[in-house]
Amino acid sequence: MRELYPPIEPYDKGMLDVGDGNLVYWEACGNPEGRPALVVHGGPGSGCGPGARRYFDPDRYRVVLFDQRGCGRSTPHAADPTTGMRHNTTEHLIADMERLRRHLGIDRWLLYGGSWGSTLILAYAQRHPERVSEIVISGVTTTRRSEIDWLYRGAGRFFPEAWERFLAGAPGTPRDGDVVAAYARLMEHPDTAIREKATADWCAWEDAVLSGETRGTAARPYADRPPRARIALVRICSHYFSHGAWLEEGALLRDAHRLAGIPGVLIHGRLDLAGPLATAWELARAWPGAELTVVDDAGHLGGATTSDHVLAALDRFAANDRA
């Protein structure tokens, strides 16, 4: 396993007014004159973390990270029940990314992310292909309704006990009902205790899906988050997924031809139960010029081999002169 680059601190940061009363936190690290790159975090609603900075050579990259609306250090925060969600959609996030690019004076940037971040990367790049130099994705998703149904229903065939508990957490929802929409409604309930229980039940299910990857440890990637971050994550996730991310079913695969000319590296774990490999395979076939690497011993959380592939891709793009 390769070592990640040493920890670095931002040389600049700020709160960008993106309208609708929202301020989006951003930070820039590395070389101010380096190749621009944007880290697009997952969730939706996870927020960006310092670990992502370490995938980039700080001498060659100008790395920008941001917290998407409602999470991390962006305000207002979705953990506050008075924060409205009407102005928090995929379209809003695409516009926020463009506003941030213009604010920083960047012409084109590399996009890096995974899971939900890959959906947002693809949506942005298909809207603004002229603003994207390269793409690196670890853990491909397109947030089709079929993918959402797999994660919150289909995967239950591997964890039937945990799925029964997840379903029971949304009382009155039939087995073939829209359990994600039911949780989205619970996260808007005026009773704090109801919102907190829904958050705990959602996180327990997410952790169950990842349990094959965390086996032998006490790690709970969802439940172990700080309470405020956990509530925002579940509220934003259920909001986005109950609306199919406001994307036409299959649109990101259908329109992948718009990415022609943008070099792309897709890295996906064969053992990913949260986002099965089929989506990455379909995207690689639809996107001219994309490279797909399948990591046989990795799941959704990745691992040492996945990290090695991400580092190699980012180092390779840093070395070319296509910025």
Side-chain angles (χ1 to χ4, degrees), residues 87-283:
H87 297 298
N88 197 333
T89 70
T90 305
E91 282 296 318
H92 287 98
L93 299 186
I94 292 171
D96 293 349
M97 290 164 68
E98 259 301 271
R99 190 170 300 203
L100 179 58
R101 182 191 62 78
R102 294 193 299 268
H103 175 73
L104 296 175
I106 292 171
D107 180 47
R108 300 165 73 228
W109 48 10
L110 176 150
L111 304 178
Y112 164 65
S115 196
W116 157 256
S118 67
T119 294
L120 185 52
I121 283 171
L122 295 169
Y124 173 90
Q126 290 179 16
R127 182 73 56 80
H128 302 286
E130 74 285 357
R131 299 303 179 190
V132 181
S133 57
E134 299 94 5
I135 293 173
V136 178
I137 291 173
S138 172
V140 178
T141 71
T142 64
T143 314
R144 288 174 290 181
R145 286 163 180 80
S146 59
E147 294 172 51
I148 296 166
D149 187 68
W150 165 261
L151 177 55
Y152 297 103
R153 182 189 316 280
R157 68 191 64 183
F158 293 98
F159 310 101
E161 306 95 332
W163 191 80
E164 289 286 354
R165 291 192 293 270
F166 179 56
L167 181 65
T173 305
R175 295 184 65 84
D176 60 351
D178 192 341
V179 66
V180 174
Y183 270 89
R185 290 190 293 271
L186 289 171
M187 293 306 297
E188 301 302 320
H189 199 283
D191 190 323
T192 300
I194 288 176
R195 295 195 305 274
E196 290 179 347
K197 183 179 185 303
T199 297
D201 290 339
W202 180 285
C203 289
W205 167 248
E206 296 274 14
D207 285 338
V209 175
L210 297 176
S211 60
E213 302 179 42
T214 59
R215 187 175 52 227
T217 74
R220 299 182 303 169
Y222 283 81
D224 288 344
R225 297 169 190 246
R228 180 174 165 84
R230 191 166 62 237
I231 291 171
L233 173 65
V234 175
R235 190 179 181 203
I236 295 172
C237 273
S238 59
H239 171 62
Y240 271 72
F241 294 162
S242 66
H243 288 92
W246 300 272
L247 295 169
E248 183 181 343
E249 184 73 355
L252 296 181
L253 292 173
R254 181 197 66 204
D255 296 336
H257 61 89
R258 296 179 182 174
L259 306 175
I262 301 174
V265 174
L266 311 175
I267 304 156
H268 204 96
R270 191 178 296 280
L271 306 180
D272 189 341
L273 280 180
L277 175 61
T279 297
W281 178 261
E282 293 174 78
L283 179 61

Side-chain angles (χ1 to χ4, degrees), residues 278-300:
T279 297
W281 178 261
E282 293 174 78
L283 179 61
R285 296 182 69 184
W287 174 0
E291 307 169 16
L292 172 62
T293 297
V294 179
V295 183
D296 286 329
D297 62 350
H300 197 69

